[in-house]
Amino acid sequence: MQSYVLVLYYSKYGSTREMAHLIAQGVENQGLIAKIRTVPEIFPAIATAEPSIPEQGDVYCTLDDLQNCAGLALGSPTRFGNMASQMKYFWDQTTSLWLSGALHDKPACVFTATGSIHGGQETTLLSMYLPLLHHGMMLLGLKNSEAALSNTKSGGTPYGVSHVSGPRHDQAISQDEKRLAIVQGERLAEIVKKLNA
């Protein structure tokens, strides 16, 4: 099986999905395969089963996708300063991987989008670190040597790339944020290659 970096995200309005694809571009810039996956919606009461493959968009992630990755980029929009429940629900189903140590020593990074500048970008990024730490993964942020990290007016953070999409989720990802997403993917891929050398 060929080594790949898993880019796993949940997106409601599209910003987090766009960031996921930019991070995947950075991974592929380093000559590695990026496998983009998402998680399904969850509902308080289920009337009908969700299809195992969505009608459109990226394929749903399986535990095998996660177990077999060489590195992980994890993204979620902010929900009151925390990751979205859809992503949290997915991680709540990973006990078997935790028991087997399947993710030990694999590098990982995180990314997010918020509706407002004070929407909790950094706390959301930190909330996504928690399950990764419990799984024994190695966490990567953004290096302060990257100029876009200081230039950006609507996202960034050393904890991981972020974006403010606005209250109507209509603000485009800035050039600085695009640069940071690609750089974050490149850095993750570089570390994967060093660990697998």
Side-chain angles (χ1 to χ4, degrees):
M1 179 185 300
Q2 195 166 15
S3 180
Y4 63 87
V5 171
L6 178 63
V7 183
L8 173 59
Y9 75 93
Y10 170 74
S11 188
K12 181 77 172 173
Y13 298 105
S15 294
T16 312
R17 178 179 61 246
E18 185 177 349
M19 294 169 72
H21 283 262
L22 289 164
I23 289 170
Q25 178 184 330
V27 168
E28 292 175 348
N29 286 350
Q30 294 298 313
L32 294 183
I33 295 170
K35 183 183 278 193
I36 301 172
R37 294 290 184 264
T38 189
V39 296
E41 292 290 342
I42 56 173
F43 303 96
I46 298 182
T48 59
E50 280 279 290
S52 58
I53 298 174
E55 292 180 15
Q56 61 182 5
D58 295 310
V59 175
Y60 295 139
C61 189
T62 67
L63 291 184
D64 284 342
D65 290 329
L66 185 56
Q67 176 175 330
N68 296 318
C69 75
L72 170 69
L74 178 65
S76 171
T78 294
R79 295 293 182 264
F80 302 104
N82 205 331
M83 76 177 94
S85 58
Q86 292 85 347
M87 185 58 73
K88 175 70 166 62
Y89 182 81
F90 175 84
W91 282 96
D92 286 348
Q93 311 309 307
T94 62
T95 303
S96 62
L97 301 184
W98 177 78
L99 288 169
S100 69
L103 302 180
H104 285 181
D105 300 325
K106 293 183 181 185
C109 63
V110 295
F111 58 102
T112 192
T114 58
S116 73
I117 194 72
H118 303 296
Q121 291 183 356
E122 292 181 345
T123 56
T124 299
L125 294 169
L126 293 173
S127 78
M128 288 189 285
Y129 277 167
L130 298 178
L132 307 184
L133 286 166
H134 278 271
H135 276 283
M137 301 189 84
M138 298 183 291
L139 307 179
L140 301 172
L142 286 164
K143 295 188 285 190
N144 65 353
S145 60
E146 183 56 48
L149 193 56
S150 298
N151 296 338
T152 181
K153 302 286 189 282
S154 58
T157 96
Y159 308 107
V161 66
S162 62
H163 166 66
V164 176
S165 62
R168 288 176 294 283
H169 308 286
D170 57 358
Q171 292 180 24
I173 295 176
S174 73
Q175 289 305 309
D176 285 329
E177 292 164 344
K178 287 179 181 180
R179 169 76 185 148
L180 291 172
I182 292 168
V183 164
Q184 186 163 311
E186 289 173 345
R187 184 175 192 213
L188 178 58
E190 287 169 4
I191 297 302
V192 166
K193 288 197 295 188
K194 287 178 181 176
L195 289 171
N196 291 334

